[in-house]
Amino acid sequence: MDDLLTAVALLALLLLLLGSGLWVAVALTGVGYIGIAAFTSRPAGSILASTVWSSQAEWTLVALPLFIWMGEILFRSRLSGDLFSGLSPWLRRLPGRLLHVNVLGCGLFAAVSGSSAATCATVGKISIPELTKRGYDQRMILGSIAASGTLGLLIPPSIIMIVYGVAAEESIARLFVAGVLPGALVMGLFMAYIAVWSLLHPKKVPPAEPKIPLRARLRALRRLLPVVLLILLVIGTIYGGIASPTDAAAVGVAGALLLTRLAGDLTWAVFRDGLLAATRTSCMIAFILAGAAFLTAAMGYTGIPRHLALWIKEMQLSPFVLLAALTLFFILLGCFLDGISIVVLTTAVILPMVREAGIDSIWFGVYLVLVVEMAQITPPVGFNLFVLQGLTGQGLTNIARAALPFFLLLVLAVGLLMLLPGIATWLPTEMAKH
Amino acid sequence: MRRCLDSLYRASLVAAALSLLLILGIVLLQVIFNLIDRVMQLSGSTPIGLLIPSYADFAGYLLAAASFLALGGSFRAGAHIRVNMLLRRLPDGARRWAELGCLSMALVVACTATWFFGKLTWGSWRFGDVSPGLVAIPIWLPQSVMTLGLLIFTIAVADEWYCAWRRHQPAYQLAEAAAEQALLERAGGEL
């Protein structure tokens, strides 16, 4: 009982500090320190130093700044324009027409960038004005772009998967591979919804533009081809076990630099800004990971996760009920916390309990990322909503309402993932065979 | 004083960026070495086993150095995330006190971390700890760079605290606002 009280007190303190605007990494470290100092007899300071040290100098973590950098380079290139002009000629005849550009464009950009907000901003920057000009339904435009942007988290390379992998000590290569099929599933669900909606509301869809001959369509696609090849190279070498994620990330950065150089976009300013932005972002995430590693150690010393795991075991919940409860909890948490915080808090406190319940931790990583995707489009704290507010000047609630059907589709995807865990685990198992 | 501090943050951020560049170089070189080996293997000759000794260790230590050296500059650039939803709704006076409260807590954490990390580095130096790989790198080397980074971070937090105390807007707050503004302008230009 005491433990439960301690746990609740520490968690409440953490949420209070986070909510009052304290920097996430600082809050994690502070609560970890208090946890050790107040509830154990261990030396909090030296534990702080040693866990921070061992969490930072890590080969697997080297993939993080490199993938961030790759995204930053392509984010600054002309890729967003190429995405629209390359994809749109192919989608004119589908029910839903150019709305599918949002989903496919985000899916493609997600495969070069690991960030949800960057994906949303890059694709939205071009597609929102283009679609609005053509008279597509504003709500569908906003909803599909807000939700598809979150694919940046699921489709490899994904920054948040690296964070989970490092914090949970799981293979990042397997996590990446596990995200491929669920990513395709979510894209499929979004596109199916757009198609069905368009068939039901034919008046809200502008007429089809004239058909473009195949050769012209292929030529429009040509500008996208190098990026697609880069994606296949990066993900393919990871899947084939030829390269570690870190190696693949380095090749990705080199490829991205080469592509922007060939396109004539690589000025000194672009190079410098991309590198500095990557330095800052990866510093921010590394700082959070350091705080999270310390909090995890602190939690371990207080014994809270172990007791929580035992408590769950005694309740004899089925994994399904446990996951359903966790999903509700995460959706609630996602309204107020950002994705990275949710992931590191989960690995610090909840992961032992999940493992105790016999849930595969690769599968759980994919599940967690899907739930975090929902958090990106729930008000009041949903980063994609902020991005779209910035892009369009529309109110937050408006955008959130537009994204609601897609939010429900993500819930459906989580349900499917629970019923058919193979969606996430099949590919990594196949990968392990060769 | 102001210019002196700004160039300190700038210099450490640039050093961090250069570390990232160096990491890219090391990893790419090793990838090329692996490729050469693979090609030789396929062409029937015995691979020569080209290897940058302890490249994983070097890359890891460089990353730790980069992450910590960038702390101060990133902090002032508003890159460290936080939930400022409630803070933004506060009137100016209350906001100042709230920011001072956050900065005070950050200062305590930064001082504690710097002190104990410095102690850890001192211990590694005294006991002559080295990395386990092929090349025995003394681990006080990366650790002292990290301590330096934490020290610069502590200075940056103290700097911002003093700034808020003197009723100026801290740099991170300005940067947070500027980032939002930039996003709006970017959208405005396109739409």
Side-chain angles (χ1 to χ4, degrees):
Chain A
M1 198 55 222
D2 263 4
D3 282 321
L4 199 64
L5 217 62
T6 320
V8 170
L10 281 177
L11 203 66
L13 178 68
L14 184 60
L15 291 179
L16 181 75
L17 289 179
L18 284 174
S20 58
L22 193 59
W23 293 271
V24 172
V26 173
L28 297 173
T29 314
V31 171
Y33 199 94
I34 293 169
I36 299 184
F39 300 107
T40 73
S41 53
R42 312 256 177 173
S46 38
I47 295 173
L48 169 65
S50 57
T51 45
V52 167
W53 166 244
S54 58
S55 72
Q56 289 300 297
E58 271 269 353
W59 167 246
T60 43
L61 199 55
V62 176
L64 184 81
L66 295 178
F67 276 128
I68 293 175
W69 191 6
M70 175 177 159
E72 289 286 350
I73 296 165
L74 292 169
F75 176 63
R76 287 174 167 71
S77 74
R78 249 179 304 178
L79 180 61
S80 50
D82 293 347
L83 276 175
F84 192 86
S85 57
L87 289 174
S88 55
W90 297 85
L91 301 165
R92 297 186 168 189
R93 301 272 146 184
L94 281 181
R97 311 198 201 288
L98 299 191
L99 283 172
H100 294 289
V101 173
N102 280 348
V103 183
L104 284 175
C106 283
L108 261 176
F109 191 78
V112 296
S113 161
S115 147
S116 162
T119 306
C120 194
T122 311
V123 180
K125 196 172 68 184
I126 298 289
S127 80
I128 295 173
E130 290 286 342
L131 293 177
T132 311
K133 199 167 69 191
R134 287 172 169 78
Y136 283 90
D137 185 62
Q138 192 68 21
R139 276 179 80 160
M140 282 304 271
I141 301 176
L142 289 177
S144 59
I145 194 83
S148 305
T150 67
L151 286 167
L153 303 180
L154 187 60
I155 295 179
S158 145
I159 304 302
I160 210 145
M161 287 266 199
I162 301 180
V163 170
Y164 176 82
V166 170
E169 295 179 356
E170 278 297 338
S171 150
I172 288 162
R174 293 188 58 195
L175 277 167
F176 274 7
V177 171
V180 172
L181 285 183
L185 169 75
V186 171
M187 283 172 74
L189 286 175
F190 286 175
M191 290 179 73
Y193 172 74
I194 290 174
V196 170
W197 181 89
S198 305
L199 291 175
L200 291 177
H201 303 85
K203 282 191 191 132
K204 289 188 176 173
V205 184
E209 290 163 52
K211 202 173 170 194
I212 295 177
L214 185 65
R215 184 174 296 175
R217 273 188 278 169
L218 284 175
R219 198 164 22 190
L221 205 58
R222 207 182 48 194
R223 302 257 301 272
L224 271 185
L225 199 66
V227 178
V228 173
L229 289 178
L230 184 65
I231 294 166
L232 290 178
L233 181 72
V234 168
I235 299 174
T237 46
I238 296 176
Y239 178 77
I242 301 165
S244 69
T246 309
D247 295 334
V251 173
V253 173
L257 284 171
L258 188 73
L259 289 186
T260 36
R261 177 85 188 75
L262 290 178
D265 292 341
L266 190 63
T267 58
W268 163 244
V270 166
F271 180 78
R272 182 198 57 201
D273 292 352
L275 179 56
L276 285 179
T279 310
R280 287 195 212 99
T281 308
S282 77
C283 163
M284 177 270 284
I285 295 176
F287 192 22
I288 290 179
L289 276 171
F294 178 54
L295 183 68
T296 307
M299 285 291 175
Y301 285 120
T302 60
I304 292 167
R306 206 172 51 242
H307 286 101
L308 215 60
L310 219 66
W311 180 57
I312 291 292
K313 199 177 171 188
E314 276 164 13
M315 291 216 302
Q316 303 216 314
L317 288 178
S318 73
F320 199 84
V321 177
L322 176 66
L323 284 170
L326 277 178
T327 308
L328 280 179
F329 174 68
F330 283 132
I331 290 176
L332 204 68
L333 211 59
C335 291
F336 302 98
L337 282 185
D338 65 283
I340 296 175
S341 308
I342 295 176
V343 170
V344 296
L345 284 183
T346 304
T347 49
V349 185
I350 298 176
L351 199 62
M353 165 172 112
V354 169
R355 285 193 174 128
E356 185 64 46
I359 295 166
D360 179 57
S361 35
I362 295 277
W363 182 90
F364 187 71
V366 174
Y367 157 84
L368 191 59
V369 169
L370 262 177
V371 183
V372 167
E373 279 193 63
M374 298 178 192
Q376 306 295 315
I377 50 173
T378 46
V381 180
F383 280 85
N384 285 16
L385 302 181
F386 291 151
V387 169
L388 287 177
Q389 191 182 25
L391 278 173
T392 63
Q394 294 235 13
L396 215 57
T397 25
N398 250 347
I399 304 171
R401 207 174 300 141
L404 183 66
F406 294 92
F407 174 83
L408 295 176
L409 288 173
L410 283 172
V411 177
L412 176 66
V414 168
L416 287 172
L417 191 67
M418 285 184 198
L419 287 174
L420 304 164
I423 299 170
T425 54
W426 181 71
L427 265 185
T429 324
E430 284 297 305
M431 180 174 88
K433 280 181 192 159
H434 56 246
Chain B
M1 187 65 182
R2 178 77 266 141
R3 270 178 43 200
C4 192
L5 284 172
D6 281 345
S7 36
L8 173 70
Y9 308 137
R10 184 78 193 165
S12 60
L13 191 66
V14 169
L18 290 178
S19 309
L20 277 194
L21 207 58
L22 202 56
I23 291 175
L24 177 70
I26 292 176
V27 180
L28 270 184
L29 192 63
Q30 184 58 46
V31 168
I32 292 169
F33 281 178
N34 290 344
L35 272 179
I36 294 175
D37 266 5
R38 186 65 64 110
V39 170
M40 292 186 72
Q41 207 172 9
L42 290 177
S43 62
S45 48
T46 38
I48 35 183
L50 284 170
L51 183 77
I52 304 171
S54 295
Y55 74 103
D57 286 346
F58 278 116
Y61 292 161
L62 277 170
L63 173 66
S67 305
F68 276 62
L69 281 176
L71 279 175
S74 309
F75 178 68
R76 285 178 57 91
H80 291 295
I81 52 170
R82 58 179 188 154
V83 183
N84 59 5
M85 180 175 61
L86 291 177
L87 278 180
R88 282 163 49 164
R89 305 239 155 96
L90 292 176
D92 283 352
R95 168 100 191 232
R96 173 170 165 260
W97 285 107
E99 296 283 0
L100 273 173
C102 287
L103 283 166
S104 304
M105 275 188 271
L107 194 58
V108 172
V109 168
C111 285
T112 314
T114 312
W115 172 253
F116 284 104
F117 212 85
K119 264 178 82 173
L120 180 82
T121 311
W122 170 247
S124 309
W125 183 74
R126 213 174 35 160
F127 294 112
D129 292 342
V130 292
S131 66
L134 264 178
V135 182
I137 309 160
I139 62 172
W140 63 264
L141 259 172
Q143 283 181 347
S144 53
V145 178
M146 289 165 79
T147 312
L148 180 68
L150 279 171
L151 190 65
I152 295 172
F153 176 59
T154 312
I155 294 170
V157 177
D159 186 358
E160 297 282 51
W161 192 94
Y162 182 70
C163 195
W165 181 252
R166 293 285 304 272
R167 296 175 189 280
H168 297 301
Q169 282 222 340
Y172 65 82
Q173 208 176 320
L174 291 171
E176 281 170 359
E180 279 168 35
Q181 195 57 39
L183 202 64
L184 278 174
E185 272 165 22
R186 189 173 181 143
E190 301 283 349
L191 281 171

